Amino acid sequence: MKLLRLLLLLIHVFVGLGALAGGYACLVDPVTPLGATTDMLQGSPFSTFLIPGIVLFGLFGVGNLFSIILLFKQNKYLGYVAGLLGGSMIVWIIVQVLIIKTVVFLHVLFFIIGAVQGLIALALLYKEGLFPWNLIKGKRS
């Protein structure tokens, strides 16, 4: 379990810091953040990268860094938070690919990271007896 917690820590740090940087770039320059143009957003509900930047900075940046606190405090509900973040990352990537109609290496990488984060979350929940199946059956491990 220590290996899973270490891997989860690395994921939270990597995703959190990257999302803070990317989100900040979108907030500071919502028209051409990091060289991206609003042409990518044609057909989407967004005319600039401001709203995606807020979500990136807040949910994925602050959310993942907040999860590090839960991890160090050995909070038994960490699995739920990590699972929410991993699942949200998968949805984020799918929606992003559908909007920009392109798949690049980073999409694949972050989709896999989201899936791994979700699987680790399920393992943590199982260990804590909070895995959804345990709760349905009324059993705790």
Side-chain angles (χ1 to χ4, degrees):
M1 197 54 65
K2 286 185 180 190
L3 179 62
L4 289 180
R5 286 185 175 272
L6 176 62
L7 182 56
L8 189 58
L9 173 66
L10 294 175
I11 288 172
H12 285 318
V13 169
F14 180 71
V15 173
L17 292 178
L20 285 178
Y24 179 76
C26 292
L27 296 173
V28 170
D29 182 9
V31 178
T32 56
L34 302 172
T37 65
T38 53
D39 295 339
M40 299 170 76
L41 299 175
Q42 286 182 344
S44 82
F46 309 111
S47 57
T48 69
F49 290 97
L50 180 63
I51 301 299
I54 291 169
V55 173
L56 189 60
F57 188 89
L59 176 64
F60 296 109
V62 174
N64 274 286
L65 295 180
F66 170 75
S67 293
I68 294 171
I69 296 168
L70 296 179
L71 195 129
F72 281 120
K73 288 189 172 210
Q74 296 188 357
N75 187 293
K76 70 179 188 175
Y77 298 109
L78 169 67
Y80 288 121
V81 175
L84 176 68
L85 290 168
S88 297
M89 171 114 52
I90 291 171
V91 171
W92 174 269
I93 294 299
I94 291 171
V95 169
Q96 188 177 40
V97 165
L98 291 173
I99 287 174
I100 67 172
K101 298 173 182 67
T102 301
V103 177
V104 296
F105 171 74
L106 287 177
H107 292 134
V108 175
L109 175 66
F110 280 98
F111 184 93
I112 290 169
I113 288 172
V116 169
Q117 190 173 18
L119 291 172
I120 291 171
L122 288 175
L124 292 174
L125 290 172
Y126 183 78
K127 177 195 174 277
E128 294 290 341
L130 296 171
F131 188 72
W133 185 252
N134 299 80
L135 296 175
I136 292 169
K137 297 281 254 175
K139 298 178 182 175
R140 300 188 90 153
S141 357

